[in-house]
């Protein structure tokens, strides 16, 4: 019957969510992993159920999945380019030159 198939499918989704959660948290210390596992599993299960309801396609607004431990962090932004420091003697010379131009 359809209801039994739904229950079997839900069990499969729960097992899959558990496996995915375990893999995504594998690199964390045991205590942290234990603390995060229920929330991660629930989020993954919600996403898997939404995908199953949409016919296997990801929903239009997917639930954010936890970052995979194997992903490298994004590279740091490039350093900001600073304007080259102008020696004070150059500044003084420019000011004197402008004043001379104003006078003449």
């Amino acid at each position: 019957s359809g209801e039994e198939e739904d229950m079997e499918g839900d069990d499969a989704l729960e097992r899959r969510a558990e496996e995915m959660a375990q893999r995504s948290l594998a690199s964390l210390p045991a205590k942290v992993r234990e603390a995060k596992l229920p929330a991660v599993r629930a989020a993954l299960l919600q996403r898997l159920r939404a995908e199953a309801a949409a016919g296997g396609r990801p929903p239009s607004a997917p639930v954010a999945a936890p970052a995979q431990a194997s992903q490298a962090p994004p590279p740091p932004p490039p350093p900001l380019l600073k304007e080259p420091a102008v020696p004070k003697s150059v500044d003084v010379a420019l000011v004197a030159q402008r004043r001379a131009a104003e006078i003449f």
Side-chain angles (χ1 to χ4, degrees):
S1 70
E3 206 172 289
E4 287 176 10
E5 288 176 16
D6 287 345
M7 290 186 69
E8 287 177 17
D10 204 45
D11 286 344
L13 290 178
E14 287 181 17
R15 284 192 302 272
R16 188 165 171 219
E18 175 73 24
E19 291 169 4
M20 291 171 68
Q22 291 284 351
R23 276 194 309 255
S24 69
L25 299 174
S27 66
L28 297 175
K31 288 187 180 198
V32 175
R33 188 171 48 241
E34 281 180 38
K36 292 183 180 257
L37 185 62
V40 171
R41 181 178 44 231
L44 288 168
L45 183 58
Q46 181 180 359
R47 188 184 80 192
L48 292 171
R49 284 179 177 157
E51 286 177 7
R57 297 185 321 269
S60 58
V63 175
Q68 293 292 330
S70 62
Q71 288 180 340
L80 297 175
L81 298 177
K82 296 181 180 176
E83 291 185 25
V86 178
K88 273 199 173 230
S89 60
V90 174
D91 287 342
V92 171
L94 288 174
V95 169
Q97 192 177 21
R98 287 185 188 142
R99 285 188 183 158
E102 290 172 2
I103 295 172
F104 297 109

